[in-house]
Amino acid sequence: MVTIADVARHAGVAPSTVSYVLTGKRSISPQTRTKVRESIRLLGYHPHAGARALATSRANVVALVLPLRHGVHLPVVMRFVTAAVTTARRHDMDVLLVTADQGAQGLRRVAGSAQVDGFLVMDVELDDDRVPLLRQIAQPSVLIGRPAAVKGLTCVDLDFEAAGARCVDHLADLGHRYIGFLGAPSVVYQRNTGYAQRTMAGFGAAAMRRGIASTALPAEDDYESVLASVRSLLRTQPAMTALVVHNEAALGWVAGSLRALGRRVPDDVAVVAICPDELAEQMQLTSVQLPAEELGRQAMELLVARLNGHPAAPVTLLPPKLSGRASTAPRLRRA
Amino acid sequence: MVTIADVARHAGVAPSTVSYVLTGKRSISPQTRTKVRESIRLLGYHPHAGARALATSRANVVALVLPLRHGVHLPVVMRFVTAAVTTARRHDMDVLLVTADQGAQGLRRVAGSAQVDGFLVMDVELDDDRVPLLRQIAQPSVLIGRPAAVKGLTCVDLDFEAAGARCVDHLADLGHRYIGFLGAPSVVYQRNTGYAQRTMAGFGAAAMRRGIASTALPAEDDYESVLASVRSLLRTQPAMTALVVHNEAALGWVAGSLRALGRRVPDDVAVVAICPDELAEQMQLTSVQLPAEELGRQAMELLVARLNGHPAAPVTLLPPKLSGRASTAPRLRRA
DNA sequence: TTGAAAGCGCTAACAC
DNA sequence: GTGTTAGCGCTTTCAA
C-alpha cells in the first residue's frame, strides 16, 4: 500500500505538506503543490479512510436508513436513495446502507463505532422507536417523514395533509360531490405511518370543508384486491364520480377495475393519484407529485449542512403540486 | 468518546486484554472476561471502526455497486439489495452503497482508500469497463451477472439461456407452435446487457431446436408501448398462440393489451413470464423464477468466503425453475 | 493468563 | 512556506 510517507519521500517534502496539499488547510507554494500532486498521481496514492477517520474524528460517511419492508413502494424508495447518494457524493461523502430491520440496535452499533458522521432516516413512523435513540447519539440526523413529536428534530416531508386536501379541492372545483379514497395497504395504517394517515386526514377534512361526501378504503397491491376495494367503494357510494388514489402499487389496476365495473375514466369516474410524477405521466393521470428526488436531495443537503456546523433546521414541508392530466375532467351536470 | 483504555482502566486490566476479550484471539480467564464484559456494557463501549480498520487493514465493509439507471426494474434491484445486506450483516459486515453512475472512477476511489474489503457488483454488462479495474484492485469482487470474458472472475447468475429455453420447452410441450417474445426496453439490448441477450439467445435456439416459429420484440414500460409491441407481434405472426415476457415493468400491461386486441389468456394466447416469483404469483402467471434474493445471498456468501481466505469460486449458474400457473394451458387442436 | 509497547496512516498543533 | 512530532484508538508482537 502506498502511504502519505511514500508520497512525501517521492516529492521530497514532509508528510504534513502532502496532507496540507490534499486538504488545502494552509497555503502551499505553487511549485510544491504541483510537485506533490504529480507524485500523488504517479504513485496512485489514496488517503487511507480509516486513518483519516481516526485522526480527524470524521468518517465522511453518512448512514442511509432504509425501510425495505412490506407496503413501501420500492421504486419510490429507490428514487430517494439515488437522490440522497448523488447529493452525498457531491459533498464528498459516502453512504453506508443500514436496513430498517436492523432496528434501533443497528443504529446504535453504527453510531457507537463512529462509522458514520450522521444519519438519514427514511420512512419514519408516527411513533418510531428509533427517534429516542436518534436524540441520544452523538451524530446528527435528518428524517424523511415526521414522527408525532418533532421537537428538536430535523425533518423533511411532503405536506401530505395539504396533498390530500389539494386532491379534494381540484375535484370539487370540477364539480364532483361524491369522492372515494383508495389508500395504501392496511398494514401501512396499522403501522401508524405518518404520511398515510396525514393524507387521509387532509383528504377527509377538505371534503368536510367543501361539503363533499367521502368514503375511504385501503387497497392491497394485486388486481383482485384493488377490484374488490373499488367495487366496495362504488357499492357504498353509488353516486361516486371521483377517486383519489394514494397507493403506487395499486395505481396500475385502478383504471382496469373501474372499466371492469362499467365505469370509464374520466367520464364516469375521475381519478387523481398521489405518486411520483413519472408514474402519473406514464399512465396519464392527474396527480399530486410525490417529489421523492427533491426530498432525498434536501434531506441530504440539510444533513451535510449540519455536519459542517450549521445550526439544525426544524421541519421542512414541501407544498404539494398538482398536475392536471387526462384522468380528470369537469363534472357534467346531467339535467 | 469511550475508548478501549477507559474500559481497561475501569476493569483494572490492560487495553490489550480488553481487545482479546473482544476478538477472542487468546484465552482469557473467566473472571477477567466477565469483568471486562461488564465494564464494556456499563460504559457503553463500541470499538472505533476507523482505528480498528487502521490496525487490522480490514474495514469490515463491503461495497455494493448498484445500477440505478433506466431499464433496470427497481423492485428487483431492491430484492438483491435486501438479500445482500442481510447476508453481509450475518457475517458482521456493513455495506457501503456505490452507485453505478460513479463509474470505474468511483470504484477506484473506494478501493484505494481501503474503505471496503471487497466489492459486490450488480448488473454487469457483457463488455463492462469496470471489469478490467476489478481485476487490478487489491480487494476481491463478486459479480452478479456475467461479462463476456469471465476468466478469473467470480460470477453468480441465473442461467438465463436455459431460462429462455425452458419457457419454449414448456410451451412446446403444451402444443404451441408459434411463439412470441416480449423483451426488455431496447436500451437494455443497446447497452449490451448479458442477461437480456442470453435469454433471447436461449429462447431462439430452443425454438429452432423444437421447430417452432418465433418472433421477438423489445417493449418499453408503458401501456401504449406494450400494446404496440403486442399488436406488432400478432400482426407479424397471426398464428401466435403463446408469448414469453422478459420485462417486469411491462408485465402488468400484457394481459390488458392482449385483451384489447381480442385475445384471452390463456385460451387464445398463453403467457410465460421470466420474473420474481412473487410478481408472477400476484398476477397468476406461469413463470420462470428470477431468484433475486438467492442470487444476492449467494453472491455475498461467496464474497465473504473469499475475504476469509477461501479460494475464489468461478462462475455459479443457478438453474431456472418454472412454476405453472393460470396463464398457460394445453393448446387445443382445432379440427 | 496477562501486560507493555510498537506501530497502523493520517492530521494538526507547534516550531522555524 | 515548510518540517517535526505527538497523538487519534486499536491490534499484536514480545516479554513475563
Side-chain angles (χ1 to χ4, degrees):
Chain A
M1 184 195 195
V2 35
T3 74
I4 201 171
D6 297 327
V7 176
R9 207 170 309 121
H10 185 271
V13 299
S16 58
T17 301
V18 178
S19 175
Y20 285 122
V21 166
L22 249 22
T23 62
K25 288 190 179 170
R26 84 175 177 194
S27 54
I28 302 279
S29 76
Q31 304 92 299
T32 312
R33 203 198 336 268
T34 23
K35 210 169 41 180
V36 170
R37 288 242 174 85
E38 187 58 10
S39 301
I40 289 179
R41 216 181 47 73
L42 243 51
L43 301 183
Y45 168 71
H46 287 271
H48 188 289
R52 179 172 271 184
L54 183 55
T56 59
S57 320
R58 280 271 252 150
N60 289 311
V61 176
V62 299
L64 184 57
V65 188
L66 288 192
L68 302 181
R69 50 186 178 184
H70 187 70
V72 295
H73 191 60
L74 268 10
V76 176
V77 173
M78 276 308 214
R79 287 192 148 79
F80 281 111
V81 174
T82 318
V85 172
T86 308
T87 308
R89 283 304 308 143
R90 277 222 317 281
H91 293 278
D92 270 304
M93 296 261 154
D94 276 291
V95 172
L96 192 81
L97 197 59
V98 180
T99 51
D101 62 275
Q102 301 179 44
Q105 183 73 352
L107 293 192
R108 179 171 278 120
R109 184 182 57 80
V110 170
S113 64
Q115 274 190 100
V116 302
D117 306 319
F119 290 85
L120 187 51
V121 185
M122 284 191 50
D123 195 45
V124 177
E125 295 172 13
L126 280 172
D127 178 24
D128 201 300
D129 65 333
R130 295 168 300 183
V131 169
L133 177 62
L134 289 173
R135 294 180 191 279
Q136 282 173 29
I137 59 181
Q139 295 92 337
S141 53
V142 171
L143 318 188
I144 295 183
R146 276 172 296 155
V150 294
K151 187 93 179 169
L153 295 177
T154 301
C155 302
V156 181
D157 206 359
L158 172 64
D159 189 339
F160 280 99
E161 212 153 346
R166 186 75 188 78
C167 295
V168 172
D169 284 334
H170 173 71
L171 292 168
D173 291 346
L174 290 176
H176 295 273
R177 290 298 168 261
Y178 300 87
I179 307 184
F181 183 93
L182 204 63
S186 56
V187 284
V188 172
Y189 298 94
Q190 285 158 22
R191 225 162 36 211
N192 226 352
T193 307
Y195 73 86
Q197 303 204 354
R198 289 192 182 99
T199 307
M200 270 292 304
F203 168 86
M208 294 301 274
R209 263 198 312 273
R210 308 276 309 230
I212 280 175
S214 69
T215 319
L217 270 184
E220 308 307 313
D221 50 8
D222 59 307
Y223 176 68
E224 293 306 328
S225 305
V226 173
L227 180 62
S229 292
V230 172
R231 177 182 289 126
S232 179
L233 281 176
L234 283 168
R235 199 167 284 162
T236 312
Q237 201 180 74
M240 183 179 99
T241 60
L243 191 55
V244 172
V245 184
H246 187 203
N247 182 329
E248 286 90 357
L251 228 40
W253 312 120
V254 172
S257 296
L258 284 168
R259 212 179 304 127
L261 295 166
R263 305 298 204 283
R264 295 189 318 164
V265 177
D267 302 332
D268 302 319
V269 175
V271 174
V272 179
I274 301 177
C275 71
D277 227 30
E278 195 179 277
L279 208 63
E281 186 66 45
Q282 192 176 290
M283 310 200 201
Q284 277 303 302
L285 296 173
T286 293
S287 72
V288 165
Q289 293 177 32
L290 181 58
E293 279 93 354
E294 183 61 16
L295 286 168
R297 196 188 59 72
Q298 283 218 24
M300 188 58 82
E301 289 288 2
L302 286 174
L303 183 54
V304 170
R306 189 91 186 71
L307 294 177
N308 293 335
H310 292 250
V315 177
T316 306
L317 279 192
L318 302 189
K321 270 190 204 147
L322 185 139
S323 312
R325 295 201 186 78
S327 69
T328 53
R331 175 90 193 118
L332 301 175
R333 281 284 162 74
R334 316 206 172 172
Chain B
M1 184 193 194
V2 35
T3 74
I4 201 172
D6 297 329
V7 176
R9 207 170 309 124
H10 186 271
V13 300
S16 56
T17 302
V18 177
S19 175
Y20 285 121
V21 167
L22 249 22
T23 62
K25 288 190 180 170
R26 82 175 177 196
S27 54
I28 302 279
S29 76
Q31 305 92 298
T32 313
R33 203 200 334 270
T34 22
K35 211 169 40 178
V36 170
R37 288 243 175 85
E38 186 59 9
S39 301
I40 289 179
R41 216 182 49 71
L42 243 50
L43 301 183
Y45 168 70
H46 287 270
H48 188 289
R52 179 172 273 183
L54 183 54
T56 60
S57 318
R58 281 270 253 150
N60 289 311
V61 177
V62 300
L64 184 57
V65 187
L66 287 193
L68 300 183
R69 51 186 178 184
H70 187 71
V72 296
H73 191 61
L74 269 9
V76 177
V77 173
M78 277 307 215
R79 287 191 149 79
F80 281 111
V81 173
T82 319
V85 172
T86 309
T87 308
R89 283 305 308 143
R90 278 222 314 282
H91 293 278
D92 269 306
M93 296 261 155
D94 276 291
V95 172
L96 192 81
L97 196 58
V98 180
T99 51
D101 62 277
Q102 302 179 44
Q105 182 74 352
L107 293 192
R108 180 172 278 122
R109 184 181 58 80
V110 170
S113 64
Q115 273 190 99
V116 303
D117 306 320
F119 290 85
L120 187 50
V121 185
M122 284 190 50
D123 195 43
V124 177
E125 295 171 12
L126 280 173
D127 178 24
D128 201 301
D129 65 333
R130 295 168 300 183
V131 168
L133 178 62
L134 290 173
R135 294 180 190 280
Q136 280 174 27
I137 59 181
Q139 295 92 337
S141 53
V142 172
L143 317 189
I144 295 183
R146 275 172 296 156
V150 295
K151 187 95 181 168
L153 295 177
T154 300
C155 302
V156 181
D157 206 358
L158 172 64
D159 189 339
F160 280 99
E161 211 152 348
R166 187 76 188 76
C167 295
V168 171
D169 285 333
H170 174 70
L171 292 168
D173 291 345
L174 290 176
H176 294 273
R177 290 297 168 262
Y178 301 86
I179 307 185
F181 183 92
L182 205 62
S186 56
V187 286
V188 172
Y189 299 93
Q190 284 157 25
R191 229 170 22 220
N192 226 351
T193 307
Y195 73 86
Q197 303 203 354
R198 290 194 181 97
T199 308
M200 270 290 306
F203 168 85
M208 294 301 274
R209 260 198 314 272
R210 307 277 308 230
I212 279 175
S214 70
T215 318
L217 270 185
E220 308 306 313
D221 51 7
D222 59 306
Y223 176 67
E224 293 306 328
S225 305
V226 173
L227 180 62
S229 292
V230 174
R231 176 183 290 127
S232 179
L233 281 175
L234 282 169
R235 199 167 285 163
T236 311
Q237 200 179 76
M240 183 179 99
T241 60
L243 191 54
V244 173
V245 184
H246 188 203
N247 182 329
E248 286 90 359
L251 228 40
W253 312 120
V254 171
S257 296
L258 284 168
R259 212 179 306 125
L261 295 166
R263 306 298 204 284
R264 295 189 318 164
V265 177
D267 303 330
D268 302 318
V269 175
V271 174
V272 179
I274 302 176
C275 70
D277 226 29
E278 196 178 276
L279 208 62
E281 186 66 45
Q282 192 178 290
M283 309 200 201
Q284 277 302 302
L285 296 174
T286 292
S287 72
V288 166
Q289 293 177 32
L290 180 58
E293 279 92 355
E294 183 61 17
L295 286 169
R297 196 188 60 72
Q298 284 219 23
M300 187 59 82
E301 290 288 4
L302 286 175
L303 183 53
V304 170
R306 189 89 184 73
L307 293 178
N308 292 336
H310 292 250
V315 177
T316 306
L317 279 192
L318 302 189
K321 270 188 204 147
L322 185 139
S323 312
R325 297 203 185 77
S327 68
T328 53
R331 174 89 193 121
L332 301 174
R333 281 283 163 75
R334 315 205 173 172

